[in-house]
Amino acid sequence: MANDQVLTAEQVIDRTKKYLNDENANFVRRAYEFAKHSHREQYRKSGEPYIIHPIQVAGILADLEMDPSTVAAGFLHDVVEDTDVTLKDIEDAFGKEVAMLVDGVTKLGKIKYKSQEEQQAENHRKMFVAMAQDIRVILIKLADRLHNMRTLKHLPAEKQRRISNETLEIFAPLAHRLGISKIKWELEDTALRYLNPQQYYRIVNLMKKKRAEREQYLEDVIEEMKNSMNEVSIKNEISGRPKHIYSIYRKMAIQNKQFNEIYDLLAVRIIVNSIKDCYAVLGIIHTCWKPMPGRFKDYIAMPKPNMYQSLHTTVIGPKGDPLEVQIRTSEMHKIAEFGIAAHWAYKEGKTVNESASLEEKLTWFREILEFQDDTANAEEFMESLKIDLFSDMVFVFTPKGDVIELASGSVPIDFAYRIHSEIGNKTIGAKVNGKMVTLDYKLKTGDIVEILTSKHSYGPSQDWLKLAQTSQAKNKIRAFFKKQRRDENVDKGREMVEKEIRNMEFDLKEILTPDNIKSVVEKFNFANDEDMYAAVGYNGVTALQVANRLTEKWRKKRDLEQNTTITNAVSELKSFPATKRRESGVRVSGIDNLLIRLSRCCNPVPGDEIVGFITKGRGVSVHRADCTNIDTADAQARLIPVEWETGLNDRKEYNVDIEITGYDRRGLLNEVLQAVNETKTNISAVTGRSDRNKMATIIMSISIVNVSHLQKVVERIKQISEIYSVRRMMN
């Protein structure tokens, strides 16, 4: 899975021929030909033909030895989103299975959302729900994201940071959860290179300096291990495993360590033939070197939830430094590298028992469908996933010895609700390892947890929502209150809806008629109006959503009236004095003697594309054409053309806020201030901050005469070393 090689379609198909029969390999070839034709005349940001991307995605899937449908879907994963091809076309040509996989990774492009964040959250929700039905969806998506990260250098810096953040928050943890370490490490290292290039290249250079010393040390250790194992005739394969850059970075950041304080930059990996040999080798290692207390982990007896199995131990090595040793069988090693993909690798004649076993190992993933049912919107759904599926895990035991997996930081309440909703609702206390503990006790791996219940319990308290750490527990607590407090929620929801309608300046009596309410209740699929108001009361649906539905007909009528009276509004504006017109440097096309002011939300300056907004009683407000505050139906109805006046703009200064980001080093702020002064630009305000990743952000208010002046300032700041981006801000 080398990231520096660009595969051809023939190379990908040749790789599939190593494990597929001719019929299936030809099926994959047909998918490539279809994709090549569909993406003809399309190009990537790098200037390369677009088909190169699907080829590389299919190549990654072929390296994982995925089944014909998955590799075919790798070739076809973008055709529905980026071309005129429909899912029906895919189904007709390649069958329902391939069409389902392509649909699972296709973004939602036809719906308009309030924000990019909301749209992205909806895309992720769609992908995760499809993935819960067929895990191959996420394998295709991970391959897609991996190649996108490899070619990220062709995108603007802002997109690089946004995509890298998303990769670290969602896709790398997901690869870890599925046990695909080869993809996980590359995603993390590549994301770090764009998010914190200073630290990334610093670690790379420090690792290069000590490479020769580490390699010699490793050779000596491996030779000694081999000699010891040959004496007892255990077949083995020993290799060094270099520490990945992101894991070193995390250790430095979280544990506040310097590079020279990190001793486990290398681990020794020993692969043997059987589980019996694993434990035999462990005994040999502990005989040769002293084990460090508390550093032995048996993931063979208790596998990780991503199916990872291995023995881990840390010993005091030959030079007195800690040395990590991993011991596993070759089958365990394959699963450690490829995770769930190793189970999905194509095998002719795969048995029903194998498929059933795989389903059992992925029961945790079915919780996704539960999140889908319990969350009100896509953003809440994604937060639930990040908390419950992507956080570190602890493993605790029931009194009967069953293992329960919970998010790190979980408390007895989370444990109780994981067992059953009724146990959670009736909880009155908890014992951990035989001793009474408070309900906010943080559970640790190995704890034996016993929940004390009472049939006379009044149920959970509101404080439990603050104590619970998992979204599963929080959702079940909310469900309890939702059921118990229906009347209260109905009254609360009705008040909230009525308030929104009044804010829209509509008459409640006119809007809240029985027929109108009934119509909206049916559109939301509620049984009656009380169910709808109750849903608003417990935040199942927002008051604004209901109010918008109730007032839809009246808002359209008002918009029509505003459009027909816009001419009258312009005439009305002519009565305002023009005392501020010359101060603004803007005029309304073809109309004189108007009160005009520049909007502070977007701070337009000469050279910007601008529009005028007719306000009520305050003349014309001038906005940049891309200002979000005028991107509404109500605002569009009151827009008029405006233009910059010539001969005035070079004498007036305009305030603009800019955001500067860079590596936080000594003297950075002084260099930025000096650079701005060199452009003869006045500075009215400066603020700054730095995060734990040593990323500095400087907000600066400057006075400029036009866009060209602003561009001159921006270009000068960009010349400063270790400045990553300079952007103009919206208020």
Side-chain angles (χ1 to χ4, degrees):
M1 203 176 287
N3 62 13
D4 56 350
Q5 181 185 6
V6 178
L7 300 173
T8 65
E10 284 304 319
Q11 287 174 320
V12 174
I13 293 167
D14 285 345
R15 291 185 184 189
T16 65
K17 288 179 179 178
K18 292 178 181 178
Y19 65 95
L20 296 180
N21 59 34
D22 289 343
E23 181 184 352
N24 287 325
N26 288 333
F27 178 80
V28 171
R29 182 185 290 279
R30 278 203 304 114
Y32 160 67
E33 297 293 348
F34 189 98
K36 181 181 177 183
H37 178 75
S38 301
H39 289 299
R40 66 192 184 282
E41 299 179 3
Q42 287 185 336
Y43 296 88
R44 302 194 84 205
K45 295 286 186 183
S46 61
E48 299 172 323
Y50 191 90
I51 189 62
I52 287 179
H53 171 63
I55 291 173
Q56 307 317 304
V57 172
I60 293 168
L61 295 168
D63 281 341
L64 296 174
E65 296 189 359
M66 298 306 296
D67 62 289
S69 294
T70 307
V71 181
F75 278 122
L76 299 166
H77 75 278
D78 274 338
V79 293
V80 174
E81 185 179 333
D82 295 335
T83 73
D84 293 332
V85 174
T86 65
L87 278 173
K88 183 67 167 59
D89 297 331
I90 298 288
E91 185 177 332
D92 291 343
F94 300 99
K96 288 185 178 180
E97 187 176 14
V98 174
M100 178 274 296
L101 294 173
V102 171
D103 184 39
V105 293
T106 299
K107 297 192 188 95
L108 304 168
K110 309 285 185 185
I111 306 171
K112 191 169 182 179
Y113 295 94
K114 294 178 185 175
S115 66
Q116 185 178 7
E117 289 77 13
E118 183 184 354
Q119 179 166 4
Q120 196 70 332
E122 277 292 357
N123 286 330
H124 288 146
R125 191 215 291 250
K126 177 177 185 279
M127 177 185 70
F128 280 112
V129 172
M131 177 177 60
Q133 295 163 359
D134 195 315
I135 202 71
R136 291 174 295 175
V137 169
I138 198 57
L139 297 178
I140 299 167
K141 192 63 185 175
L142 284 172
D144 173 54
R145 176 52 59 107
L146 181 58
H147 183 248
N148 282 336
M149 291 300 292
R150 290 173 179 175
T151 57
L152 204 57
K153 63 184 178 182
H154 301 291
L155 295 182
E158 187 177 340
K159 276 194 174 182
Q160 289 175 348
R161 290 182 61 79
R162 177 175 58 78
I163 293 171
S164 296
N165 261 321
E166 182 185 64
T167 297
L168 276 186
E169 282 189 2
I170 295 173
F171 291 98
L174 189 55
H176 171 68
R177 206 68 164 91
L178 296 173
I180 314 174
S181 61
K182 287 186 78 72
I183 289 180
K184 175 201 178 228
W185 289 121
E186 188 177 340
L187 288 176
E188 288 181 336
D189 284 356
T190 311
L192 178 63
R193 191 169 78 209
Y194 291 103
L195 289 173
N196 199 334
Q198 183 80 12
Q199 286 289 71
Y200 175 86
Y201 288 111
R202 176 170 171 258
I203 293 171
V204 169
N205 291 331
L206 287 169
M207 290 179 74
K208 283 180 181 176
K209 289 179 183 177
K210 291 194 173 185
R211 179 178 294 169
E213 179 185 334
R214 287 198 309 272
E215 288 178 352
Q216 183 58 52
Y217 174 72
L218 193 60
E219 285 179 17
D220 296 341
V221 167
I222 290 176
E223 185 177 356
E224 190 170 345
M225 287 181 176
K226 278 186 175 291
N227 291 335
S228 298
M229 281 180 274
N230 289 340
E231 289 177 8
V232 292
S233 302
I234 294 179
K235 289 185 178 180
N236 61 80
E237 185 182 317
I238 308 179
S239 61
R241 182 188 66 82
K243 202 83 170 174
H244 290 272
I245 297 168
Y246 183 75
S247 65
I248 296 173
Y249 166 77
R250 273 181 58 85
K251 187 164 286 191
M252 292 170 66
I254 294 172
Q255 299 180 13
N256 198 24
K257 287 186 175 181
Q258 295 299 314
F259 183 83
N260 57 11
E261 295 178 287
I262 299 175
Y263 297 105
D264 56 343
L265 291 174
L266 278 178
V268 175
R269 179 179 293 142
I270 304 172
I271 298 176
V272 293
N273 290 337
S274 67
I275 293 177
K276 179 183 71 173
D277 287 346
C278 289
Y279 289 100
V281 169
L282 177 69
I284 293 170
I285 298 300
H286 284 181
T287 302
C288 293
W289 299 291
K290 286 187 178 180
M292 291 181 66
R295 296 296 298 270
F296 169 65
K297 295 184 178 71
D298 188 344
Y299 294 120
I300 293 179
M302 189 182 291
K304 290 185 178 182
N306 60 12
M307 295 169 286
Y308 176 89
Q309 286 185 290
S310 187
L311 296 177
H312 286 199
T313 187
T314 303
V315 297
I316 304 299
K319 294 184 179 180
D321 292 333
L323 173 67
E324 184 183 345
V325 182
Q326 301 174 353
I327 309 165
R328 62 182 71 147
T329 66
S330 55
E331 183 64 25
M332 291 174 190
H333 180 61
K334 186 176 181 182
I335 293 173
E337 294 288 293
F338 300 108
I340 190 67
H343 287 272
W344 260 109
Y346 180 72
K347 298 177 191 170
E348 291 192 62
K350 183 182 285 189
T351 66
V352 175
N353 288 338
E354 285 180 292
S355 299
S357 173
L358 177 60
E359 288 297 312
E360 286 175 15
K361 290 173 180 175
L362 284 171
T363 50
W364 61 270
F365 216 78
R366 302 301 168 236
E367 294 172 6
I368 288 177
L369 293 179
E370 186 178 329
F371 293 146
Q372 164 78 358
D373 294 336
D374 290 344
T375 51
N377 56 57
E379 288 159 321
E380 184 183 335
F381 172 72
M382 287 309 301
E383 285 307 309
S384 296
L385 277 172
K386 289 177 188 177
I387 293 169
D388 283 10
L389 294 184
F390 299 156
S391 59
D392 293 332
M393 311 305 292
V394 294
F395 303 92
V396 297
F397 296 90
T398 67
K400 293 182 178 179
D402 296 327
V403 180
I404 303 295
E405 173 194 349
L406 293 166
S408 180
S410 291
V411 299
I413 292 170
D414 298 296
F415 177 90
Y417 279 103
R418 177 59 59 88
I419 301 298
H420 196 279
S421 299
E422 281 305 304
I423 290 178
N425 290 338
K426 298 296 183 182
T427 295
I428 58 171
K431 286 183 178 180
V432 174
N433 303 325
K435 296 180 181 179
M436 289 294 297
V437 297
T438 57
L439 292 180
D440 61 355
Y441 171 86
K442 301 289 184 185
L443 298 175
K444 300 185 292 293
T445 293
D447 283 343
I448 300 173
V449 186
E450 180 183 355
I451 299 297
L452 307 178
T453 61
S454 170
K455 62 182 179 180
H456 302 297
S457 167
Y458 290 106
S461 72
Q462 283 286 357
D463 291 338
W464 287 14
L465 285 171
K466 297 176 184 177
L467 295 178
Q469 299 299 306
T470 62
S471 59
Q472 182 189 38
K474 290 181 179 181
N475 286 335
K476 289 181 177 179
I477 294 168
R478 290 192 190 102
F480 176 87
F481 289 126
K482 180 170 69 174
K483 185 177 179 181
Q484 294 294 312
R485 300 183 176 178
R486 176 177 168 79
D487 292 341
E488 181 182 330
N489 283 326
V490 169
D491 293 339
K492 180 183 175 184
R494 183 180 283 110
E495 289 177 11
M496 292 167 69
V497 171
E498 291 177 355
K499 181 180 178 181
E500 289 290 350
I501 294 172
R502 283 194 292 269
N503 289 341
M504 295 176 182
E505 300 180 357
F506 287 112
D507 183 4
L508 290 177
K509 291 181 180 179
E510 184 180 9
I511 303 298
L512 297 177
T513 62
D515 289 343
N516 192 32
I517 293 174
K518 181 181 178 183
S519 171
V520 173
V521 165
E522 290 173 354
K523 286 179 181 177
F524 278 105
N525 292 319
F526 289 113
N528 51 54
D529 61 331
E530 287 196 348
D531 281 356
M532 179 179 73
Y533 288 130
V536 175
Y538 63 74
N539 293 323
V541 64
T542 68
L544 183 59
Q545 287 174 305
V546 174
N548 279 337
R549 287 282 193 178
L550 287 166
T551 60
E552 189 173 11
K553 182 171 65 175
W554 286 267
R555 283 186 293 111
K556 286 181 179 178
K557 181 180 178 182
R558 186 161 68 184
D559 289 345
L560 182 62
E561 290 172 354
Q562 286 179 338
N563 284 330
T564 56
T565 59
I566 191 73
T567 305
N568 296 334
V570 173
S571 300
E572 175 191 336
L573 284 170
K574 292 182 180 179
S575 63
F576 289 101
T579 55
K580 293 189 178 181
R581 180 175 62 84
R582 288 201 167 272
E583 291 181 17
S584 69
V586 176
R587 68 188 301 272
V588 177
S589 302
I591 306 175
D592 290 324
N593 201 35
L594 291 181
L595 177 64
I596 299 173
R597 61 188 179 83
L598 300 178
S599 170
R600 291 186 178 181
C601 63
C602 55
N603 288 330
V605 300
D608 284 332
E609 188 178 346
I610 53 175
V611 293
F613 175 75
I614 301 173
T615 64
K616 295 180 180 179
R618 291 179 291 124
V620 174
S621 174
V622 178
H623 295 256
R624 281 163 52 185
D626 60 352
C627 179
T628 55
N629 287 338
I630 58 169
D631 190 24
T632 64
D634 291 342
Q636 293 292 322
R638 300 183 68 83
L639 297 183
I640 58 172
V642 294
E643 59 189 22
W644 294 104
E645 287 193 300
T646 56
L648 293 174
N649 301 336
D650 56 349
R651 297 196 298 270
K652 177 174 172 55
E653 291 189 337
Y654 300 81
N655 286 329
V656 170
D657 292 337
I658 57 175
E659 180 189 73
I660 306 155
T661 59
Y663 177 67
D664 185 18
R665 57 172 173 79
R666 188 187 298 273
L668 179 68
L669 179 59
N670 285 337
E671 288 185 37
V672 171
L673 295 173
Q674 184 178 346
V676 176
N677 284 331
E678 286 176 11
T679 64
K680 298 181 180 179
T681 302
N682 291 326
I683 303 171
S684 55
V686 179
T687 60
R689 65 179 184 276
S690 176
D691 62 21
R692 68 178 184 179
N693 292 324
K694 300 289 285 181
M695 186 64 68
T697 302
I698 301 169
I699 309 295
M700 183 178 292
S701 296
I702 59 176
S703 299
I704 54 109
V705 296
N706 52 37
V707 170
S708 297
H709 182 184
L710 175 60
Q711 190 62 32
K712 181 180 176 183
V713 175
V714 170
E715 291 301 324
R716 177 63 188 88
I717 295 173
K718 284 183 176 179
Q719 294 172 11
I720 300 171
S721 66
E722 293 167 328
I723 290 292
Y724 302 141
S725 68
V726 184
R727 71 177 186 91
R728 184 175 173 186
M729 297 178 66
M730 289 269 203
N731 290 333

